[in-house]
């Protein structure tokens, strides 16, 4: 389990960020719209951090295809969650036009992970 260890570490950091950002949004932000963006971003970041863990374990099981899922999930988190967090902190709302690209990356990660999980493991 080589590169999978990197994915596991990044997933753990994503989980940490999700908790920190969720707590900040709940206790440090007054604007209701900003709170909602922070909550949505933190939720999606946590779920996809866990998905990176799953993908790393499917990859360790022998699926080379599963190695494509973590970068998709992480890039999706950066774009989807990052734009929501940025808007919550005052960035221009036009940034929201980029948010769906992150959602598409999340969906791509799930498609890759589903195919990889159902495929036969590579021969050892």
């Amino acid at each position: 389990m080589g590169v999978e260890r990197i994915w596991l570490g990044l997933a753990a950091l994503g989980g940490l960020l999700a908790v920190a950002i969720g707590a900040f949004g709940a206790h440090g932000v007054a604007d209701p719209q900003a709170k909602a963006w922070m909550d949505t971003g933190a939720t999606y970041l946590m779920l996809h951090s866990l998905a990176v863990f799953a993908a790393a374990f499917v990859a360790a099981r022998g699926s080379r295809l599963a190695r494509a899922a973590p970068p998709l999930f992480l890039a999706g988190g950066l774009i989807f969650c990052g734009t929501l967090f940025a808007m919550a902190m005052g960035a221009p709302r036009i940034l929201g036009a980029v948010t769906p690209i992150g959602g598409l990356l999340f969906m791509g990660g799930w498609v890759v992970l589903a195919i990889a999980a159902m495929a036969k493991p590579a021969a050892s």
Side-chain angles (χ1 to χ4, degrees), residues 75-117:
L78 183 65
I79 295 170
F80 183 89
C81 303
T83 55
L84 291 177
F85 298 149
M87 289 188 308
M89 299 307 293
R93 289 186 178 212
I94 190 70
L95 199 56
V98 178
T99 307
I101 295 169
L104 291 172
L105 290 166
F106 282 152
M107 289 188 274
W110 285 110
V111 167
V112 167
L113 185 56
I115 293 167

Side-chain angles (χ1 to χ4, degrees), residues 7-71:
W7 297 134
L8 292 171
L10 290 173
L13 290 175
L16 170 69
L17 283 173
V19 172
I21 290 168
F24 177 73
H27 303 290
V29 177
D31 177 54
Q33 180 62 63
K35 278 184 180 281
W37 284 330
M38 296 288 270
D39 183 54
T40 299
T43 299
Y44 274 70
L45 183 56
M46 180 60 77
L47 291 172
H48 289 88
S49 293
L50 294 172
V52 172
F53 265 98
F57 282 106
V58 173
R61 184 184 131 237
S63 173
R64 292 174 87 64
L65 181 60
R67 293 179 184 169

